[in-house]
């Protein structure tokens, strides 16, 4: 009976809305197990030097019946495989509520489970942008990653994606994204991950209040290549960036 009651509880999910001006350039390529993520391709013609791939995600908490018999392991495995395959094709972003708490544990090789000298890996080198901090910040007070947090860190290590939270302009401190309305407790569970080249396309990330939910809205601004966007008025030039809100 308790399982039936839990099944009736509202859960998160995925809905992707695209501006009319971008819709012709966006294609949904696939959806993942249990509809926990969707992969979209955004044509490079909208202002990038290559195509951009966006994984829009909602992974339920560990133990949720929505994850089925595999309990989420199959979802994380499929997501990691898709990300590794897609990162070779263009710029990759992974965004959404992952119910993963990672504290400030490293998302690059060099951990106990991945004993590779982190000095050997320098993914964020650019002549026209300051390197991202290797050590990110987080206001989540959890000292150790939870199970989904470890899955997320493993995904980053296997794919070379990096966590933007706590590293980029607008969210330098790694703000919490979940505030429990029914009791004490806050956490950082809504993320933006980016492949090395895509990381430098992030102009700003804002964590904004969303009164209708326990989660904050994560708003991501992505740079567009000005050479591919016709020069017009000053106001139009200020709009030369893509915006993605979670």
């Amino acid at each position: 009976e308790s399982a039936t009651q839990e099944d009736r509880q509202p859960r998160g999910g995925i809905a992707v809305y695209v501006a009319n001006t971008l819709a012709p350039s966006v294609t949904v390529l696939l959806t993942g197990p249990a509809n926990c993520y969707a992969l979209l391709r955004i044509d490079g013609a909208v202002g990038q030097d290559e195509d951009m791939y966006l994984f829009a995600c909602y992974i339920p908490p560990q133990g949720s019946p929505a994850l089925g018999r595999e309990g989420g392991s199959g979802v994380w495995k499929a997501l990691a495989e898709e990300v590794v395959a897609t990162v070779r094709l263009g710029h990759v972003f992974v965004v959404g509520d992952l119910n993963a708490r990672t504290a400030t544990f490293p998302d690059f090789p060099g951990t106990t489970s991945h004993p590779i000298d982190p000095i050997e890996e320098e993914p964020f080198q650019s002549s026209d942008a300051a390197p991202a901090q290797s050590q990110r910040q987080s206001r989540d007070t959890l000292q150790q990653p939870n199970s989904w947090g470890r899955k997320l860190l493993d995904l980053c290590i296997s794919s070379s994606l990096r966590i933007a939270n706590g590293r980029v302009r607008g969210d330098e401190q790694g703000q919490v994204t979940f505030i429990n309305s029914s009791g004490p407790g806050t956490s950082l569970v809504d993320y933006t991950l980016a492949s090395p080249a895509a990381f430098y396309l992030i102009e700003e990330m804002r964590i904004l209040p969303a009164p209708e939910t326990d989660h904050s809205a994560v708003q991501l601004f992505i740079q567009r290549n000005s050479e591919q966007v016709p020069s017009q008025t000053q106001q139009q030039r200020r709009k030369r960036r893509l915006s993605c809100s979670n």
Side-chain angles (χ1 to χ4, degrees):
E1 183 178 353
S2 59
T4 302
Q5 292 174 350
E6 186 175 3
D7 285 341
R8 292 174 181 172
Q9 292 180 354
R11 304 191 188 100
I14 301 169
V16 179
Y17 298 87
V18 180
N20 288 335
T21 53
L22 290 177
S25 301
V26 178
T27 304
V28 178
L29 299 179
L30 58 85
T31 57
N35 292 320
C36 286
Y37 62 85
L39 172 58
L40 288 75
R41 182 182 65 222
I42 304 174
D43 195 309
V46 300
Q48 301 296 338
D49 55 351
E50 56 186 272
D51 291 347
M52 185 170 72
Y53 295 84
L54 179 70
F55 287 84
C57 304
Y58 171 70
I59 300 184
Q62 186 177 19
S64 169
L67 292 169
R69 294 181 178 180
E70 293 188 12
S73 296
V75 172
W76 281 104
K77 182 176 183 293
L79 177 59
E81 290 174 351
E82 291 291 351
V83 169
V84 169
T86 306
V87 79
R88 302 185 180 97
L89 304 178
H91 300 309
V92 174
F93 292 93
V94 176
V95 300
D97 176 5
L98 304 177
N99 278 296
R101 300 179 69 180
T102 57
T104 56
F105 272 54
D107 52 358
F108 49 86
T111 63
T112 301
S113 58
H114 298 84
I116 301 173
D117 186 354
I119 297 175
E120 295 177 0
E121 185 178 83
E122 298 290 344
F124 300 132
Q125 298 297 324
S126 172
S127 59
D128 55 5
Q133 307 168 50
S134 60
Q135 179 60 47
R136 59 193 168 85
Q137 305 299 315
S138 175
R139 290 194 170 179
D140 191 330
T141 58
L142 189 72
Q143 298 300 309
Q144 296 282 333
N146 64 4
S147 295
W148 278 187
R150 294 189 181 278
K151 295 285 189 185
L152 175 55
L153 294 173
D154 285 344
L155 182 153
C156 290
I157 290 167
S158 65
S159 65
S160 294
L161 266 63
R162 296 292 177 266
I163 297 171
N165 304 63
R167 276 193 175 118
V168 299
R169 177 185 175 190
D171 187 40
E172 294 87 349
Q173 299 303 312
Q175 298 290 342
V176 296
T177 64
F178 174 79
I179 300 175
N180 191 345
S181 61
S182 59
T186 62
S187 57
L188 195 170
V189 294
D190 302 88
Y191 288 86
T192 295
L193 317 178
S195 54
F199 202 96
Y200 281 113
L201 298 177
I202 299 174
E203 288 192 345
E204 186 178 4
M205 189 170 79
R206 301 173 183 172
I207 309 300
L208 304 173
E212 68 279 4
T213 174
D214 292 340
H215 290 259
S216 299
V218 180
Q219 189 174 37
L220 181 68
F221 293 94
I222 301 170
Q223 178 183 351
R224 299 174 71 180
N225 187 338
S226 59
E227 295 180 358
Q228 294 178 287
V229 181
S231 179
Q232 298 180 28
T233 67
Q234 181 66 26
Q235 182 179 6
Q236 288 169 325
R237 281 196 290 271
R238 285 198 297 268
K239 295 181 179 179
R240 283 182 187 161
R241 57 184 184 177
L242 300 176
S243 174
C244 172
S245 296
N246 167 35

